Amino acid sequence: MKYQGDFFEDVLEVVKLIPRGRVTSYGAIAKYLGVARSSRMVGWALNKSLEKDLNIPAHRVVNRLGLLSGKMHFSSPTKMEEELRSEGIRVENNSVQNFNEVFWDPFSELP
DNA sequence: ACGTTGACCTATA
DNA sequence: GTATAGGCCAACG
């Protein structure tokens, strides 16, 4: 079986760099990796990362509207929301409040 | 090899 | 707000 090469690793690497109390979007990650049109693959990689028992803060990744679109893939549907709240992020009705302020842009935060 | 799937995005109605 | 459509592209069966 082929080991997960570039894509999988790169995605997880960026996600792991997301600071506590900040969030980012699938599209932003994809764009940063130079695969702007493969934003769906970012979510796929995260989903796989959960199965593989990797230490990935997947709860810090939401869609471009700040919606917790991936909450259903966690151990519990409420896990993602609680994790975000524990980091000081306001989450209400499935969406990140103050999204503009907590948004973490790889382009401006990484070299 | 081929068809389907998907934690997306944008557009339209 | 929901629905539908098109595009995108790696992985899976």
Side-chain angles (χ1 to χ4, degrees):
Chain A
M1 170 178 181
K2 184 175 67 176
Y3 178 72
Q4 313 291 14
D6 345 341
F7 199 89
F8 190 87
E9 267 190 358
D10 289 346
V11 171
L12 301 189
E13 194 167 328
V14 175
V15 175
K16 277 192 281 191
L17 292 176
I18 303 175
R20 191 178 191 276
R22 306 289 293 280
V23 298
T24 191
S25 71
Y26 305 96
I29 295 174
K31 192 177 180 184
Y32 178 76
L33 294 178
V35 287
R37 293 170 183 80
S38 301
S39 50
R40 312 178 83 169
M41 309 292 91
V42 176
W44 170 86
L46 288 174
N47 191 10
K48 284 298 179 182
S49 75
L50 292 181
E51 296 179 1
K52 292 172 176 288
D53 294 334
L54 299 176
N55 191 20
I56 306 299
H59 56 272
R60 292 181 188 152
V61 186
V62 297
N63 71 359
R64 78 167 184 102
L65 299 175
L67 297 175
L68 278 54
S69 45
K71 60 184 295 184
M72 62 184 87
H73 297 283
F74 285 78
S75 46
S76 173
T78 57
K79 189 72 171 15
M80 187 176 188
E81 189 172 322
E82 291 177 7
E83 286 286 319
L84 289 173
R85 281 211 178 115
S86 69
E87 297 188 356
I89 298 175
R90 291 195 307 152
V91 179
E92 294 189 16
N93 195 9
N94 252 0
S95 66
V96 175
Q97 305 298 301
N98 225 6
F99 184 59
N100 189 49
E101 294 185 10
V102 297
F103 181 76
W104 180 78
D105 188 355
F107 290 98
S108 48
E109 305 288 345
L110 293 178

